Amino acid sequence: GAGVSQSPRYKVTKRGQDVALRCDPISGHVSLYWYRQALGQGPEFLTYFNYEAQQDKSGLPNDRFSAERPEGSISTLTIQRTEQRDSAMYRCASGQLVGDKAFGPGTRLTVL
Amino acid sequence: AQSVSQHNHHVILSEAASLELGCNYSYGGTVNLFWYVQYPGQHLQLLLKYFSGDPLVKGIKGFEAEFIKSKFSFNLRKPSVQWSDTAEYFCAVTPNSGGYQKVTFGTGTKLQVIP
């Protein structure tokens, strides 16, 4: 498609399980970003990539969170040993090196 | 590190009223500024952006924003709102420094327009 896509759109998991969230950016976009948005809050930066290189992961809350973009296109955000506080909307965005970003629809993660 | 403040968390207006949503940022260097909108059930969309040049920026759907460097502000305005403008609005900033493009968002303002 023409836009950023994310899958799954909704994920319900039990505490302690690992989850993998996928982002498929707009074709040709160099930069890819992950954000987390809690209810009533703005998107909170997690990490971003230029091509396959992870440029900044300062927003990842702890070592249970990791992200990769091995071929400079699709990216996966993995959360290990999920906790209830991880419940949020996880948003992916892509763009060129400079300029605005296009956002995907997000993955709503619920940890029971 | 940069930060963004949106002072109005929830705004309720009648149709045809004028709108101004406040946004202030903090960052020591030059910045790029954005307003994003999220309509109910939809994902974030770019409303307008400022990179350089004329500090008065016009976006889609009759929105505009003015960058006032001395005040570190980028307020969003619309002369006459419509019911369809009901949405959540996010101000965002990124350093204008080469390839470093970490975008920082404000907490958002929910706008409710009453018919």
Side-chain angles (χ1 to χ4, degrees):
Chain A
V4 179
S5 61
Q6 292 185 243
S7 61
R9 293 289 308 277
Y10 302 90
K11 178 69 177 179
V12 180
T13 190
K14 291 183 179 179
R15 188 176 52 186
Q17 297 294 307
D18 299 348
V19 296
L21 311 181
R22 172 183 165 129
C23 173
D24 199 340
I26 291 173
S27 178
H29 274 187
V30 168
S31 298
L32 184 148
Y33 297 75
W34 283 101
Y35 285 84
R36 178 171 68 174
Q37 186 173 10
L39 279 174
Q41 299 294 317
E44 172 194 16
F45 171 81
L46 294 178
T47 184
Y48 90 99
F49 296 81
N50 283 342
Y51 303 100
E52 72 282 358
Q54 193 169 19
Q55 299 292 316
D56 184 342
K57 56 181 181 179
S58 63
L60 295 176
N62 51 60
D63 61 7
R64 296 186 295 106
F65 287 72
S66 63
E68 62 175 11
R69 193 188 185 196
E71 298 179 359
S73 179
I74 293 168
S75 177
T76 302
L77 176 70
T78 301
I79 309 172
Q80 296 178 311
R81 304 181 303 280
T82 52
E83 301 177 4
Q84 286 185 326
R85 60 178 171 158
D86 299 333
S87 297
M89 176 73 82
Y90 288 82
R91 299 192 181 276
C92 175
S94 72
Q96 299 301 347
L97 283 175
V98 179
D100 52 273
K101 319 302 174 197
F103 279 83
T107 295
R108 170 72 68 187
L109 174 66
T110 302
V111 182
L112 301 176
Chain B
Q2 67 267 32
S3 66
V4 179
S5 297
Q6 291 182 245
H7 312 298
N8 314 105
H9 298 293
H10 197 178
V11 173
I12 301 174
L13 294 173
S14 298
E15 273 192 317
S18 64
L19 169 72
E20 181 160 4
L21 302 182
C23 172
N24 288 90
Y25 70 93
S26 65
Y27 182 69
T30 56
V31 294
N32 298 327
L33 294 155
F34 309 85
W35 276 97
Y36 282 84
V37 61
Q38 185 171 12
Y39 296 102
Q42 298 186 26
H43 54 275
L44 283 163
Q45 302 170 40
L46 182 68
L47 199 55
L48 50 77
K49 60 187 177 185
Y50 170 80
F51 277 23
S52 63
D54 189 346
L56 183 61
V57 178
K58 295 190 182 299
I60 60 173
K61 303 184 180 184
F63 286 90
E64 64 179 31
E66 184 174 13
F67 172 47
I68 302 178
K69 189 175 180 180
S70 61
K71 295 184 178 181
F72 298 89
S73 69
F74 191 56
N75 292 355
L76 181 70
R77 300 193 294 249
K78 185 171 183 179
S80 176
V81 294
Q82 300 173 313
W83 176 78
S84 59
D85 294 325
T86 295
E88 192 159 15
Y89 294 81
F90 294 93
C91 183
V93 62
T94 184
N96 185 10
S97 55
Y100 189 57
Q101 290 286 297
K102 174 180 171 181
V103 181
T104 301
F105 286 84
T107 52
T109 298
K110 288 186 179 177
L111 173 63
Q112 184 177 358
V113 180
I114 301 170

